[in-house]
Amino acid sequence: MDTTDLVLAILHHLLVFSLAGIIGAEFVLVRGDLGATTRLSGIDRHYGIIAALIIIVGVCRVFFGLKGWDFYVYNWVFWAKMAAFAIVGLLSIVPTMRFISWNRQASGDPSFAVPAAELASVKNYVRAEGFIFLLIPVFAAAMARGYGY
Ligand code: HEM
């Protein structure tokens, strides 16, 4: 029994489910009327905080988890999971910048309407984020069971 490993695993799961919830919420909100812009940038701020916490807790799992760091660093499935997480992070940059910009413009001009082309591109980014995100638990389950050597 190892309490540190258990606590890290619980935190990791709670955080990754929260991030999934946020991506899901953004996925739905960018489809609605963009009176949702204020909510989007508020929700998106939590995305950054939760992603940062996932990195901290994830790295702690690598170094302080039951299996030891060498279980992961030589495992390509672990690195595939890291790459997928990094790609999701990179894909989130454009939507984040747009949400901030829309929010700023909407607060200065109540009649502001999100340009259709910007909205369409943000939808594509959020959709791509959602699909790549689905790969992360697939890689996680495989690496945890020793696949990837
Ligand atoms: C820097 C980011 C991350 C690091 C360093 C990291 C690291 C880890 C580690 C060390 C484990 C333990 C695996 C084992 O039991 O041997 C784990 C498990 C897991 N991770 Fe991550 N993780 C990260 C991000 C994520 C993200 C974004 C997700 C989103 C879905 C995720 C989902 C999971 C799941 C579902 C498990 C449990 C796998 C299982 O036991 O079947 N991780 N992670």
Side-chain angles (χ1 to χ4, degrees):
M1 297 274 195
D2 184 317
T3 314
T4 307
D5 187 71
L6 173 65
V7 170
L8 289 171
I10 291 170
L11 289 175
H12 194 66
H13 281 91
L14 292 176
L15 288 165
V16 300
F17 281 119
S18 305
L19 195 66
I22 286 180
I23 294 176
E26 292 189 352
F27 197 83
V28 171
L29 283 173
V30 287
R31 269 160 182 72
D33 74 272
L34 264 281
T37 48
T38 323
R39 240 179 311 153
L40 272 166
S41 67
I43 288 174
D44 198 63
R45 211 165 306 128
H46 291 91
Y47 182 113
I49 297 166
I50 290 170
L53 290 173
I54 289 178
I55 294 171
I56 294 167
V57 173
V59 170
C60 286
R61 290 197 77 182
V62 170
F63 288 101
F64 306 119
L66 274 182
K67 292 171 182 161
W69 62 270
D70 46 351
F71 180 87
Y72 304 105
V73 294
Y74 303 115
N75 182 321
W76 70 262
V77 179
F78 169 75
W79 290 109
K81 181 184 161 188
M82 292 302 99
F85 185 57
I87 292 168
V88 171
L90 291 174
L91 287 168
S92 75
I93 292 172
V94 170
T96 295
M97 288 181 348
R98 292 281 187 230
F99 297 152
I100 292 168
S101 152
W102 295 345
N103 196 26
R104 202 174 32 228
Q105 293 177 75
S107 56
D109 169 12
S111 67
F112 169 75
V114 173
E118 287 184 13
L119 184 57
S121 99
V122 165
K123 277 183 188 169
N124 286 335
Y125 276 104
V126 175
R127 192 180 306 127
E129 264 179 67
F131 283 123
I132 306 282
F133 189 84
L134 292 178
L135 294 175
I136 302 177
V138 175
F139 290 138
M143 85 182 181
R145 282 149 192 84
Y147 291 88
Y149 291 105

